[in-house]
Amino acid sequence: MKITAPISTPAEVEPLVRAGARELYCGVVPPDWIRRFNTSGVNRRVFGNLNGYADLERVIDNAHTLDAEVFLVLNAQQYGEQHLDALTEIAAHFRSIGGNAAIVADISLIASLTANVPDLAIHVSSVATCRNVESARFFAQLGARRIILPRDVTVAEISAIATELPELDIEAFVLNDGCVFEEGTCHTVHLPMNKGGPICIDNYQFEYRAASGEAPAERALRRLEKNDQDYKRWLWYRFGNGFSVAPNGYPWGPCGLCAMPAMHAAGVHSVKIAGREGASERKVKSVELVHEVLRRIEDGEPETKVRECAVGLRDAPSHCASGYMCYYPEKRSQPEIPVHAQPA
Amino acid sequence: MTSTSTPTASITPNPPAGPIELGFALVDERELAAFARHERVTRDDYLEQLGDARQCVTLPDDAEPTHFFLGSEFCEHLLPSVEAIDRAVALCERWGVTFGLVTPIACDSLFEPLRAAFARLPAGAEVTVNDWGVARVVQREFPDLRPVAGRLLGKMLKDPRLPSATWARMYPNGLRAGPFREILDNLGIGRLELDFPPFGAADMYAGIDFPVGVRAPYGYIAKGRICKLGSLALDVPEKFSPGHRCRRECLGFSEVGARPGTRELQTSQRGNTMYYRHAPGMTAAIAEAVANGWVSRIVLSGA
């Protein structure tokens, strides 16, 4: 099982590979793209991209020297038909300088790359919301070599897909950055924070209505409001514990470390660390965290021991005990937490 | 909230092939009982179901019901029971309209219930597919059914918070791309269902080489698999995590509101999905698209 990590500058290659990443993914906005299309939307993120083709070439050279692969994100949910040729040119250039795979969500672009850049591997982005065997077969037929599963799947679902389709590489999320909605069915942009930020944490003021159109009965409303409070707490975890890091520098959740033994056993090819836009130090600490767990799995430690280690790595097991910091809460380790150390 | 867009394809009106098709999409199978009292169904029966949102719909004078849909695009836990499907099919036979089953993005465990549901459908019934895997199953195992690409497959930017039309052009839709057309053809999909987005224009549907239906008067903004409301009766670790049975709380409650200090589209959330309600300009633009023959069906549905 390999660790797939995000990069946004050539300087991140060496520390991330030394920390244990064997696969790196990045985006690039070619200099003529904005001039041609008057948008920076080459991929899903406006920020966190490499500075141009020269940087991309440096990333590939450095990574290959260190025996790591490089994947290019062309992962917007959709592209206009006017973009397809330009994107195919980007992918062809990427392949010509040694790039290993493109991460793609748009089915038209997948078809175009398969036809026109046949020696470039296609990884189906999590943005494609491919989360069943039949759908994975559909993408395989289009030319995909790897399926990156979306965030909100269960380990049982991951295992079923990986077991049923051994000819496909399966990649699953393991750390960082938690969309609330499914990426492939969230048709919004992350606005600047002063304009609202991501819609899932924007300041919507909602009121409940019953099916009749009226306010819910008092008792129901109390239950709904209690559920809202729990949800806010879950949201805080979903966004990295309020966008903070643990005292020892490791990133908070969302986290799938406890699920890694099961994913390894199921034959999952890679585990993905999200966060291209994050700081370099956060990326390195993320890889270190995942690598420590992977090392123990590969050394043959029993699953329970690995999970015990996983919840101890951040030195704050109470957050793990909340159950809200997990990508795969059904696999969380449940350490004994002293009452005084339990989260409020 | 509409503005002019510049489609790359021709904006020549298509000659209307006949009266527009009109459908109603029902999610809650319990509401079939209200429909069952109608010996025949009329456009007013459909519009009445929308409550005060009916004011956000403009229909051509000759639009009368041609289709009735049951099921959810957004949630694996809202697949109708086979009994409800049977009732709905019988109602459609009585009314002389075509039945359609609406299906969501599926996890693997949903495929057997889906197959059981498809097996109840008469030849010629439609299946609104929102998952490529489900589309494959319909094509391969139920060739008598007619798959329609649902609006989860017709990707477009639909963020009601966008400050201007310039933002809306950041990620244009790819509905006219040749490969998209070819892939739908290969799956036997003959129709496309779409939303009308904020900052859209009537001619956004021009040049799409497919019969197009539009959902009205609500568009969906985003949908998740994690469901706040569906977690109401759950506890950790099931709470706010995927794949767990809920009590379908979303059929009893929704949330309506806005961002303070804005005059944006009315927004709501029901279960795992956020919606915007069409503003008058959007309603007019859809009517214009219908008049020009760019849209051949309107599917009324709630939020």
Side-chain angles (χ1 to χ4, degrees):
Chain A
M1 194 156 72
K2 295 181 177 179
I3 298 170
T4 311
I7 59 166
S8 54
T9 71
E12 290 174 339
V13 172
E14 186 172 343
L16 287 173
V17 176
R18 299 261 183 244
R22 296 258 69 84
E23 300 176 337
L24 304 170
Y25 65 96
C26 59
V28 68
V29 181
D32 64 338
W33 179 276
I34 296 173
R35 182 180 49 77
R36 286 175 72 180
F37 300 115
N38 197 26
T39 167
S40 56
V42 185
N43 57 64
R44 188 132 170 91
R45 294 281 172 259
V46 173
F47 304 105
N49 291 301
L50 296 174
N51 236 345
Y53 280 143
D55 274 4
L56 183 61
E57 206 162 336
R58 265 198 294 280
V59 163
I60 293 169
D61 288 346
N62 294 349
H64 286 183
T65 302
L66 296 166
D67 199 24
E69 292 187 295
V70 180
F71 310 145
L72 181 68
V73 290
L74 298 171
N75 63 343
Q77 203 178 80
Q78 77 278 342
Y79 292 103
E81 72 276 16
Q82 66 272 33
H83 293 161
L84 288 184
D85 288 347
L87 291 162
T88 304
E89 285 167 21
I90 293 171
H93 179 72
F94 174 65
R95 182 64 194 132
S96 74
I97 57 176
N100 299 96
I103 299 175
V104 189
D106 180 278
I107 56 167
S108 293
L109 182 57
I110 292 174
S112 177
L113 295 186
T114 301
N116 298 299
V117 197
D119 56 344
L120 179 65
I122 304 291
H123 295 180
V124 174
S125 165
S126 56
V127 179
T129 326
C130 172
R131 54 176 166 85
N132 61 64
V133 169
E134 281 290 344
S135 182
R137 287 195 179 119
F138 164 80
F139 284 105
Q141 210 165 36
L142 281 184
R145 185 177 300 169
R146 177 181 298 196
I147 306 293
I148 306 170
L149 298 172
R151 282 185 175 79
D152 293 317
V153 290
T154 66
V155 173
E157 290 167 347
I158 294 171
S159 300
I161 294 169
T163 305
E164 189 71 25
L165 301 169
E167 67 277 21
L168 280 175
D169 292 346
I170 300 300
E171 182 176 325
F173 276 89
V174 72
L175 210 61
N176 295 344
D177 293 6
C179 288
V180 169
F181 297 108
E182 290 188 276
E183 286 178 288
T185 52
C186 178
H187 308 285
T188 69
V189 293
H190 284 192
L191 293 176
M193 289 308 285
N194 65 356
K195 294 190 185 303
I199 197 166
C200 46
I201 52 171
D202 202 342
N203 185 32
Y204 275 95
Q205 304 290 310
F206 282 131
E207 286 184 0
Y208 280 104
R209 281 188 190 167
S212 62
E214 295 169 356
E218 188 59 35
R219 188 157 169 253
L221 195 57
R222 277 203 303 273
R223 281 192 70 207
L224 291 165
E225 287 171 352
K226 166 69 173 65
N227 193 54
D228 283 352
Q229 287 168 12
D230 291 340
Y231 182 73
K232 277 183 187 161
R233 196 163 148 249
W234 175 80
L235 265 185
W236 183 80
Y237 280 109
R238 193 73 169 181
F239 287 89
N241 297 20
F243 302 104
S244 63
V245 295
N248 57 13
Y250 286 133
W252 296 119
C255 168
L257 296 180
C258 288
M260 282 178 62
M263 292 199 276
H264 185 267
V268 168
H269 185 279
S270 303
V271 286
K272 182 185 192 77
I273 296 171
R276 276 196 292 131
E277 294 170 312
S280 298
E281 189 184 348
R282 182 174 186 251
K283 293 172 187 169
V284 173
K285 296 299 277 186
S286 298
V287 174
E288 286 176 6
L289 192 61
V290 177
H291 185 253
E292 177 59 26
V293 175
L294 183 57
R295 184 185 65 73
R296 288 167 183 271
I297 293 169
E298 290 177 340
D299 285 350
E301 280 193 21
E303 182 171 344
T304 50
K305 285 276 178 208
V306 173
R307 291 199 286 162
E308 276 174 26
C309 160
V311 297
L313 284 170
R314 296 182 182 89
D315 203 19
S318 63
H319 287 310
C320 293
S322 74
Y324 284 171
M325 203 168 75
C326 310
Y327 276 132
Y328 313 101
E330 73 275 21
K331 286 292 178 188
R332 78 192 162 122
S333 182
Q334 297 182 55
E336 293 290 325
I337 307 294
V339 172
H340 64 83
Q342 289 183 5
Chain B
M1 187 194 277
T2 61
S3 71
T4 316
S5 69
T6 311
T8 52
S10 157
I11 56 169
T12 309
N14 297 337
I20 189 166
E21 296 179 341
L22 178 63
F24 186 88
L26 182 67
V27 174
D28 186 350
E29 63 183 58
R30 296 171 304 180
E31 292 179 15
L32 280 173
F35 281 95
R37 61 188 158 86
H38 300 298
E39 270 310 307
R40 300 199 61 76
V41 72
T42 68
R43 58 192 270 149
D44 285 336
D45 298 327
Y46 278 4
L47 288 167
E48 189 185 324
Q49 296 293 319
L50 298 175
D52 67 355
R54 67 179 291 169
Q55 68 192 349
C56 304
V57 177
T58 300
L59 296 176
D61 291 343
D62 58 353
E64 287 295 338
T66 55
H67 292 74
F68 181 79
F69 300 93
L70 182 65
S72 169
E73 307 153 278
F74 301 120
C75 184
E76 63 209 52
H77 301 306
L78 291 174
L79 183 69
S81 63
V82 288
E83 293 80 10
I85 292 170
D86 288 347
R87 284 202 302 279
V89 168
L91 280 178
C92 289
E93 282 170 3
R94 189 209 295 174
W95 297 335
V97 304
T98 301
F99 177 73
L101 180 68
V102 181
T103 63
I105 297 174
C107 53
D108 278 308
S109 62
L110 193 67
F111 276 77
E112 280 318 304
L114 280 171
R115 286 184 170 97
F118 296 152
R120 313 297 286 214
L121 304 183
E126 292 189 357
V127 179
T128 306
V129 293
N130 286 291
D131 181 298
W132 298 115
V134 174
R136 270 171 58 99
V137 167
V138 172
Q139 183 192 34
R140 190 178 64 231
E141 300 176 27
F142 300 91
D144 289 344
L145 302 179
R146 291 189 297 194
V148 172
R151 53 182 167 167
L152 277 69
L153 299 181
K155 312 285 187 189
M156 58 176 78
L157 196 52
K158 293 186 285 187
D159 192 333
R161 311 169 305 155
L162 294 179
S164 70
T166 305
W167 288 73
R169 286 193 284 271
M170 190 186 305
Y171 294 106
N173 72 61
L175 302 171
R176 296 177 190 82
F180 183 68
R181 163 82 208 220
E182 203 172 304
I183 289 164
L184 264 57
D185 277 345
N186 289 340
L187 286 167
I189 292 172
R191 170 171 279 279
L192 196 53
E193 200 166 277
L194 299 170
D195 267 328
F196 186 86
F199 296 107
D203 59 12
M204 65 166 283
Y205 304 113
I208 297 177
D209 195 15
F210 255 87
V212 170
V214 174
R215 284 263 182 164
Y218 295 94
Y220 91 92
I221 302 164
K223 87 111 202 155
R225 199 178 178 204
I226 304 289
C227 184
K228 180 178 75 169
L229 201 51
S231 294
L232 187 67
L234 299 176
D235 207 345
V236 174
E238 287 84 10
K239 200 173 185 72
F240 312 131
S241 69
H244 301 290
R245 284 249 164 248
C246 63
R247 296 183 182 173
R248 297 185 169 186
E249 289 90 345
C250 61
L251 301 179
F253 301 102
S254 65
E255 296 173 87
V256 179
R259 299 197 300 165
T262 68
R263 298 174 65 192
E264 294 166 350
L265 299 172
Q266 180 183 304
T267 309
S268 58
Q269 177 144 3
R270 183 179 289 277
N272 62 10
T273 307
M274 278 185 85
Y275 304 84
Y276 56 85
R277 191 160 101 171
H278 290 172
M282 303 167 90
T283 305
I286 295 171
E288 185 187 338
V290 170
N292 281 296
W294 298 324
V295 167
S296 58
R297 178 186 294 177
I298 290 180
V299 179
L300 304 173
S301 59

